Amino acid sequence: MSSSTKKRAKRGSSLLKRLAMILYMVLFALSLVVVVGFVALKVFAPAPNVEGQVTIHPNDPEGSVPPPALSADPDSSAEPTPTPLVLTRRDGVYTCLLLGVADQGGTDTIMLGVFDTGKKTASLISIPRDTVVYYNSKYQKVNATYAGGEEAVVEAVKDLLGIPVDFWMSVNLRAFEDIVNYIGGVYFDVPVRMDYKDPYQDLVIDIQPGYQLLDGKKAVGVMRCRNCYINADIGRTATQRAFLTALVKQTITPSNANKVAALIDTFSKYVNTNMSLGDMVHFGTQAIGMDLDTALTTGSLEGEWISPYWQLDDEAVLALVNSLGLYQEEVPARALHIVHPK
């Protein structure tokens, strides 16, 4: 081999070594970024801290007569005070109450979300707005409790279903309009002809049934149309759950990556919540990789319309609460405070 050939081979070998070293340093730097990022997420967005046990006090359907006290007289006929029920929560399972609010005030939509971060599964349960609850010493519709703010609805739902509500999120329906417009519309199969007008709310809904691309205005119409169904709010809640699932699927796509800033701006403008930014980051990272086709289950609180309320089916609702997997134990019937006004 000539000396010039040897020199070229040596230079080529040296160049390969330098390239290999640069590649090694780049990979090391990327690995370091990944490790640091992972540690930062664990430090700055740890799992939310919630109480491990839930105490459920006995139901007092009349809400006015205090329970009888224990008597020192062994012959006394007074009943002993019922013992509170204590249930143990499963680790990594969190709840959030979602409230859809219109500009005119009042909550038009109530849903309970349950996220099992360990199993990577989620549930979305509709609570019909006319569901009867016993709150503030009187029977009333659950959506009427919103007069006391989000926390009042939270307390009513907790008492009704015997479950903890870790977070709440109040969303102005205008948020759906903006988000749908930002991502260029949402494809959705509208189940029925929607034709409704309410001049007092400046609300006009005119949507044909069938699979179509909805813009923001039509999306809000789909979410709000209640009189379009024979069974009113019950039919609407099923459509709302289906639309929200479609919206999430079509929003979380690589093509919308450049729209994150606008979506965050919409979120901050129209959403009120007690969830911290760290909690949102934690749940966001935990949701990565979830297949909503298999990981998300939806449902509604079953019952029947007995004017003027939606009265719940005790056994069906108890089975639904147990299916959510919130507790380590089987939830007994006395954990729920379902009422049936006479």
Side-chain angles (χ1 to χ4, degrees), residues 25-81:
M25 292 178 68
V26 169
L27 290 175
F28 176 78
L30 288 175
S31 300
L32 187 62
V33 168
V34 170
V35 172
V36 171
F38 179 78
V39 172
L41 282 175
K42 291 295 183 181
V43 172
F44 296 108
N49 185 26
V50 296
E51 292 291 335
Q53 290 187 319
V54 175
T55 301
I56 301 172
H57 294 282
N59 190 18
D60 177 14
E62 298 305 322
S64 58
V65 181
L70 289 174
S71 172
D73 182 359
D75 296 326
S76 171
S77 60
E79 293 290 334
T81 304

Side-chain angles (χ1 to χ4, degrees), residues 108 129-130 224-229 231-233 236 305:
D108 202 48
R129 52 178 281 171
D130 293 329
R224 296 196 64 185
C225 195
R226 185 169 182 248
N227 296 338
C228 308
Y229 305 92
N231 52 355
D233 198 46
R236 181 178 66 163
W305 176 255

Side-chain angles (χ1 to χ4, degrees), residues 7-25:
K7 288 180 180 178
R8 286 197 298 271
K10 187 174 182 180
R11 285 197 300 271
S13 175
S14 176
L15 178 61
L16 287 174
K17 287 182 179 179
R18 287 199 298 271
L19 287 174
M21 181 60 68
I22 292 172
L23 179 60
Y24 173 78
M25 292 178 68

